[in-house]
Amino acid sequence: MSVRRLSAKQPASFAFSPENAEWAKGQIAKYPEGRQASAIIPLFWQAQKQEGWLSEPAIRFVADMLKMDYIRALEVATFYTMFNLSPVGEHFVQLCGTTPCWLRGSDDIKAACNKHIGPEGQVSADGKLSWIEVECLGACANAPMVQINDDYYEDLDGASMGQLLEDLRNGKPVKIGSQTGRTGSEPIDGLTSLTTPISGGGK
Amino acid sequence: MPKVTVDGIEVEVPAGATLLQACEAAGVEIPRFCYHERLSIAGNCRMCLVEVEKSPKPVASCAMPASEGAIVRTTTEQVKRAREGVMEFLLINHPLDCPICDQGGECDLQDQSMAYGVDGSRFHENKRAVEEKYMGPLVKTVMTRCIQCTRCVRFATEVAGTPEIGAIGRGEDMEITTYLESTLSSELSANVVDLCPVGALTFRPTAFTARPWELRKTESVDVMDAVGSNIRVDARGSEVIRILPRLNEDVNEEWISDKTRFVADGLKSQRLDRPYVRINGKLAEASWAEAFAAIAAKLKGAKGERIAAIAGDLAAAEELKALKDLFTSLGSPNIDCRQDGAKIGGARSSYIFNATIAGIEEADAILIIGSDPRKEAPIINARIRKRSRVGGLKVGVIGPRVDLTYDYDHLGAGPDTLKSLASGGGFADVLKNAKAPMIIVGQGALTRKDGAAVLAASVALAKATNASFNMLHTAAARVAGLDLGLVPADGGRDVAAILDGASKGEIDVVYLLGADEIDFTKLGSAFVIYQGTHGDNGAHRADVILPGAAYTEKDGLYANTEGRVQRGNRAAFPPGEAREDWTILRALSAELGKTLPYDTHASLRDAIVAAAPHFASIDEVVAAGALPDLASGEMDAAAFDTPVKDFHLTNAIARASKTMADCSAELARSRRGAQAAE
């Protein structure tokens, strides 16, 4: 985690789309009168979904919506690393580089990202892709892996990662989850336990 | 009332007290950084760890309620090691740049690391560095020094009511800043510097000018507004370097406004340091004898009704009394201390803050009439906010709709609303049903033509609703002036009539005692004597200038808006040939053959006490008795306005201060920015 700063380039304004505004109302209504500030994280999240990242006008917009002081909203926005404070690509790659993934070759995936996207934290020229390294995403059994937008892509290697990125860039369909074809995180070589029927009491 | 044993000393503390408070009650000092008795408890610095029996780990005493029978130890090996450990952690990222840090010598971290720390560090990695943050022209930041105690964040949010400071980021990267590094908008902003336990927030105007141990410290009283904040004036030689707050629970607690604090540089510029006499239309340097001779030529033998005196807003009781006595002996009834033309005076209860400032905390309903207390008396506004935060307070405002930092009902803008309250209903019922209702009347309601009628209506409303009547003054000299009778005698002229007379040629000589806020175009061809400290409006028009002493340069008595008499003390000598003001009037009286009957300060104070006995009760509020019946009158429909148009530039000293000019410009800039954004 490094120092988190608002992007130097900011849009002039922000507003929720009509559907999101309606959705936000529902979120705010979940909290008792006087506790509306509690809705700040879902609202930030929705703002980020709408724009891809959380801009300064969006922070102020949400703060106004919840009658919060701007600095309080900024505190929340800078605290949580899930809020992107600068623009990201259409497909935003979060690459796990923590020990299990690293041992299983996340360096190769990083190299693929560098090759197909560019330097970390920068949006590719076509605006389609960007990547950052993050801490453990909790899918160690399928290491190495990345998260792209809302989905996990697992069991990667340098080649499959490069292919995946190019497919995303070109709008081709991609497979979510393990890229080697295994189901969930079952053992690669088939079952190693529970291979015999349960004895006694049943069939 | 739980009983707690601290290091073998048994103390009884009020229910809800913390262990730290119990330790203090037992006389045991607990080191702390984040804890502050006037702020909410954060419990994040961990410096106040103590050992509590049956607790497996040391506990943070600031956040632990004192429970019955708790046995606390603060001198054990465990506590010592806990403090050393916390101190070592705090110093991991703290630059040891004390030699170039303005906080050096008065730094909590420095002191406590000497007392509770160890002499070395086991941390060999690089220290974290933090970018500078901009917080405006008053507060300088060196954020690398910050230990994240969050006192400033809590002060801005809780006491000042301007939640602008916050902590962004997290963990090691947590940084204290304002939203996008905007300027602090509070009138109390620089108190965060006092609160900062390290050198992260320091005073920008006085950066790198002095070390605390070089300064001579004098306890005194502020005159920038009528609150009479208790201050400590730090001077080096004849130069006032800085002004700090002094604790007084009844008046300013431990806060002072930014104007009180940073006006000090105004004491150095634009000063009148020698007498001047106007010769052939030009002011020329003169000796005291020449200046007095020029005055004597005009005043000796002049008819009493053709001369007049106006006292300014910063005068101490001493010179007010001397001026009053001089003009009485010259046979003139034309004397006034209300240069803004406020229609006040008469019974003392009708022009002081009867409920007292501390009394605000008992109030449960407050009606503010014609005042913007945030600009006129930020300290009193902070008290109302403090009361408001406790809950159960209803505030109504008749006057300008402004941000007072607390919620209020805006009842109306002008006298019409006051009239409708007189007939009962609405907020009048709120006052009637309250246990301790207050009515606060500001000068904005009283300096108008119909001021007397507004005053009468307000007093009548206070009587009808059984509310305490409180006048909020803006001038530090006003209450003392009224107490000492600096109002027109029978047949005398008030300020408006004096100016009117001067423009018509009916007044020949006008004596201005530091009066800079009158309409100088109306003085006509009158001979103007200006006794004061700064080359401001009055001095520009004067025919004779007598250089006086500013409030930090004389011993004086001041009565604040409550009528509380407080003693100001000399911190430095007046510049050049300037003299203490009462001695100037005393010397002039001898020149005029009307020698005033006091040769020493002590005998003058005796004379003051003889004229107004409550001046003997220093630091106390002498109750003023019942409210008078005032004749009601017709009120205009015009809306009330505040007399303080620019908070930073309300008097001659402030107008001479570069810092105050910077603040005023910065505020105007940010206001323009806000308008542009809308």
Side-chain angles (χ1 to χ4, degrees):
Chain A
M1 233 185 340
S2 57
V3 178
R4 288 162 55 74
R5 290 275 183 275
L6 297 184
S7 170
K9 264 193 175 164
Q10 295 285 350
S13 64
F14 172 88
F16 271 134
S17 64
E19 308 83 71
N20 281 345
E22 201 53 41
W23 178 89
K25 254 186 225 159
Q27 293 296 314
I28 297 171
K30 286 183 185 173
Y31 301 97
E33 186 60 36
R35 299 274 185 267
Q36 274 66 30
S38 300
I40 186 164
I41 289 179
L43 262 57
F44 271 167
W45 193 239
Q46 200 68 9
Q48 173 158 313
K49 277 217 167 122
Q50 183 176 316
E51 304 284 301
W53 62 294
L54 194 60
S55 63
E56 192 267 328
I59 294 172
R60 275 189 287 126
F61 181 87
V62 171
D64 284 336
M65 216 167 161
L66 301 174
K67 299 193 176 58
M68 286 173 76
D69 301 303
Y70 292 161
I71 184 73
R72 294 285 100 84
L74 182 69
E75 286 176 335
V76 176
T78 54
F79 186 92
Y80 293 102
T81 50
M82 65 188 186
F83 296 125
N84 302 318
L85 301 180
S86 46
V88 295
E90 196 180 304
H91 305 283
F92 175 50
V93 181
Q94 299 181 68
L95 181 155
C96 173
T98 309
T99 317
C101 281
W102 175 66
L103 286 170
R104 297 277 295 142
S106 68
D107 282 351
D108 295 341
I109 304 183
K110 213 182 278 181
C113 285
N114 268 317
K115 185 177 162 207
H116 293 272
I117 304 176
E120 181 178 0
Q122 289 183 20
V123 184
S124 61
D126 55 11
K128 295 272 187 195
L129 295 162
S130 71
W131 72 280
I132 57 164
E133 182 178 335
V134 297
E135 298 304 323
C136 183
L137 291 168
C140 311
N142 294 55
M145 58 78 67
V146 300
Q147 180 183 350
I148 301 178
N149 294 349
D150 289 341
D151 300 312
Y152 277 14
Y153 296 82
E154 299 154 331
D155 300 327
L156 293 160
D157 55 28
S160 62
M161 183 68 190
Q163 187 58 45
L164 176 65
L165 290 174
E166 286 312 315
D167 287 350
L168 285 169
R169 171 170 275 150
N170 299 322
K172 288 186 191 157
V174 293
K175 186 166 163 250
I176 292 165
S178 171
Q179 302 297 304
T180 54
R182 67 170 160 158
T183 308
S185 53
E186 71 183 10
I188 289 173
D189 307 322
L191 293 183
T192 56
S193 58
L194 301 177
T195 48
T196 50
I198 301 164
S199 59
K203 288 191 174 176
Chain B
M1 297 275 279
K3 273 201 185 79
V4 181
T5 312
V6 183
D7 292 344
I9 307 164
E10 193 169 282
V11 287
E12 210 174 292
V13 292
T18 63
L19 283 183
L20 193 148
Q21 287 165 328
C23 291
E24 284 188 333
V28 174
E29 190 181 79
I30 304 290
R32 85 286 303 264
F33 293 108
C34 71
Y35 175 79
H36 192 277
E37 52 262 57
R38 286 174 217 284
L39 304 174
S40 63
I41 294 168
N44 55 9
C45 78
R46 315 309 291 177
M47 194 62 205
C48 64
L49 293 174
V50 296
E51 195 180 323
V52 180
E53 205 167 275
K54 294 192 185 117
S55 165
K57 296 185 292 180
V59 297
S61 59
C62 73
M64 177 65 78
S67 54
E68 177 61 39
I71 297 170
V72 180
R73 295 196 190 86
T74 68
T75 53
T76 58
E77 184 61 23
Q78 189 192 42
V79 173
K80 180 171 174 288
R81 287 186 51 198
R83 287 172 179 171
E84 285 171 358
V86 169
M87 186 56 79
E88 198 175 345
F89 271 123
L90 286 173
L91 290 177
I92 276 180
N93 275 323
H94 188 81
L96 299 180
D97 59 351
C98 306
I100 56 149
C101 174
D102 261 341
Q103 191 86 351
E106 50 184 3
C107 173
D108 286 358
L109 188 63
Q110 204 176 31
D111 295 347
Q112 292 184 27
S113 75
M114 289 303 289
Y116 305 106
V118 288
D119 62 352
S121 169
R122 289 171 289 177
F123 186 75
H124 296 293
E125 286 73 15
N126 288 332
K127 294 195 178 209
R128 167 212 63 167
V130 182
E131 294 156 19
E132 292 312 342
K133 303 280 185 285
Y134 183 74
M135 287 195 184
L138 300 178
V139 179
K140 178 177 181 254
T141 65
V142 183
M143 284 323 220
T144 301
R145 296 179 188 144
C146 178
I147 58 169
Q148 282 103 18
C149 70
T150 69
R151 276 187 189 177
C152 53
V153 178
R154 285 174 282 147
F155 175 85
T157 309
E158 294 162 15
V159 178
T162 50
E164 292 162 346
I165 311 181
I168 63 164
R170 61 156 132 171
E172 192 188 28
D173 299 315
M174 178 169 142
E175 296 179 2
I176 302 289
T177 185
T178 52
Y179 188 75
L180 305 185
E181 303 196 23
S182 53
T183 302
L184 297 172
S185 69
S186 171
E187 290 76 21
L188 299 168
S189 65
N191 288 299
V192 298
V193 180
D194 287 338
L195 289 171
C196 184
V198 297
L201 305 177
T202 53
F203 302 121
R204 193 185 290 277
T206 53
F208 307 130
T209 50
R211 283 300 194 184
W213 57 84
E214 303 171 331
L215 302 173
R216 203 174 55 250
K217 298 155 182 82
T218 311
E219 301 197 335
S220 193
V221 176
D222 171 57
V223 299
M224 289 302 117
D225 52 32
V227 175
S229 295
N230 287 212
I231 54 173
R232 192 187 90 192
V233 182
D234 285 8
R236 184 172 55 190
S238 62
E239 187 188 7
V240 173
I241 301 284
R242 61 177 188 176
I243 293 170
L244 297 175
R246 188 156 58 88
L247 187 72
N248 188 335
E249 295 291 351
D250 293 331
V251 183
N252 56 317
E253 298 180 277
E254 61 188 86
W255 322 122
I256 54 174
S257 75
D258 291 348
K259 184 162 55 172
T260 300
R261 188 187 299 268
F262 290 114
V263 82
D265 67 337
L267 295 165
K268 285 184 283 190
S269 50
Q270 295 283 338
R271 285 307 296 270
L272 303 170
D273 57 355
R274 60 173 68 232
Y276 288 83
V277 175
R278 194 177 290 274
I279 299 167
N280 298 332
K282 268 200 159 156
L283 284 170
E285 293 178 1
S287 68
W288 278 104
E290 286 162 0
F292 280 170
I295 297 171
K298 291 283 179 184
L299 275 185
K300 234 178 191 171
K303 276 190 188 143
E305 68 269 16
R306 295 191 69 84
I307 61 174
I310 301 173
D313 293 344
L314 308 180
E318 277 81 353
E319 53 258 32
L320 292 170
K321 173 70 178 155
L323 183 70
K324 164 82 178 165
D325 289 351
L326 177 62
F327 269 71
T328 308
S329 66
L330 289 170
S332 171
N334 305 326
I335 187 164
D336 204 343
C337 66
R338 302 161 299 184
Q339 53 171 339
D340 55 8
K343 310 286 186 292
I344 52 176
R348 189 157 181 268
S349 58
S350 72
Y351 65 79
I352 65 171
F353 204 92
N354 289 295
T356 74
I357 296 171
I360 291 171
E361 293 187 29
E362 266 90 63
D364 51 357
I366 299 178
L367 174 64
I368 299 172
I369 302 172
S371 174
D372 174 3
R374 182 172 169 188
K375 294 274 183 296
E376 294 167 26
I379 297 294
I380 290 179
N381 199 53
R383 254 323 155 112
I384 302 175
R385 176 175 164 78
K386 184 182 176 190
R387 171 66 191 84
S388 172
R389 275 172 56 80
V390 176
L393 174 72
K394 290 206 173 83
V395 182
V397 170
I398 305 177
R401 191 192 289 270
V402 288
D403 177 13
L404 291 180
T405 71
Y406 42 83
D407 289 335
Y408 61 84
D409 294 330
H410 190 253
L411 307 172
D416 291 343
T417 316
L418 189 57
K419 242 183 269 173
S420 70
L421 280 188
S423 51
F427 205 80
D429 288 346
V430 173
L431 290 172
K432 237 176 249 170
N433 297 332
K435 282 200 196 77
M438 288 177 77
I439 292 181
I440 299 176
V441 183
Q443 300 303 303
L446 305 168
T447 51
R448 307 143 47 99
K449 280 208 178 69
D450 60 349
V454 176
L455 178 65
S458 309
V459 169
L461 182 64
K463 282 183 168 176
T465 57
N466 223 3
S468 62
F469 178 82
N470 304 284
M471 187 171 292
L472 183 59
H473 290 275
T474 52
R478 188 61 48 84
V479 172
L482 296 172
D483 283 350
L484 295 169
L486 272 84
V487 287
D490 285 341
R493 295 166 184 266
D494 64 6
V495 165
I498 290 170
L499 293 175
D500 190 46
S503 60
K504 284 186 188 150
E506 293 162 13
I507 297 276
D508 298 328
V509 183
V510 179
Y511 197 109
L512 301 177
L513 179 65
D516 287 297
E517 325 293 333
I518 54 174
D519 185 355
F520 285 91
T521 58
K522 287 191 178 161
L523 281 171
S525 57
F527 183 81
V528 176
I529 303 155
Y530 180 80
Q531 176 182 340
T533 56
H534 284 72
D536 204 71
N537 307 333
H540 288 153
R541 172 59 185 81
D543 294 293
V544 176
I545 293 175
L546 303 175
Y551 69 109
T552 53
E553 295 154 4
K554 61 191 171 197
D555 295 334
L557 295 177
Y558 300 91
N560 76 352
T561 193
E562 306 166 282
R564 183 190 304 275
V565 178
Q566 300 187 100
R567 202 181 277 137
N569 293 312
R570 179 171 62 209
F573 285 96
E577 292 178 40
R579 293 289 178 269
E580 286 194 36
D581 292 89
W582 76 269
T583 62
I584 297 171
L585 288 156
R586 165 67 182 75
L588 179 61
S589 70
E591 202 74 19
L592 299 172
K594 306 275 185 191
T595 310
L596 293 171
Y598 20 82
D599 293 331
T600 62
H601 200 177
S603 55
L604 171 55
R605 283 200 174 161
D606 288 345
I608 291 172
V609 171
H614 59 269
F615 273 83
S617 314
I618 303 288
D619 292 338
E620 284 170 27
V621 176
V622 177
L627 281 172
D629 286 310
L630 298 175
S632 60
E634 270 309 300
M635 293 189 279
D636 292 348
F640 296 134
D641 198 6
T642 171
V644 179
K645 294 283 180 288
D646 190 333
F647 169 73
H648 296 102
L649 303 175
T650 49
N651 60 50
I653 306 176
R655 284 190 289 267
S657 159
K658 183 183 172 299
T659 311
M660 288 297 106
D662 288 347
C663 288
S664 177
E666 177 86 19
L667 204 65
R669 207 167 26 244
S670 65
R671 210 172 285 141
R672 267 201 308 277
Q675 275 164 0
E678 283 164 12

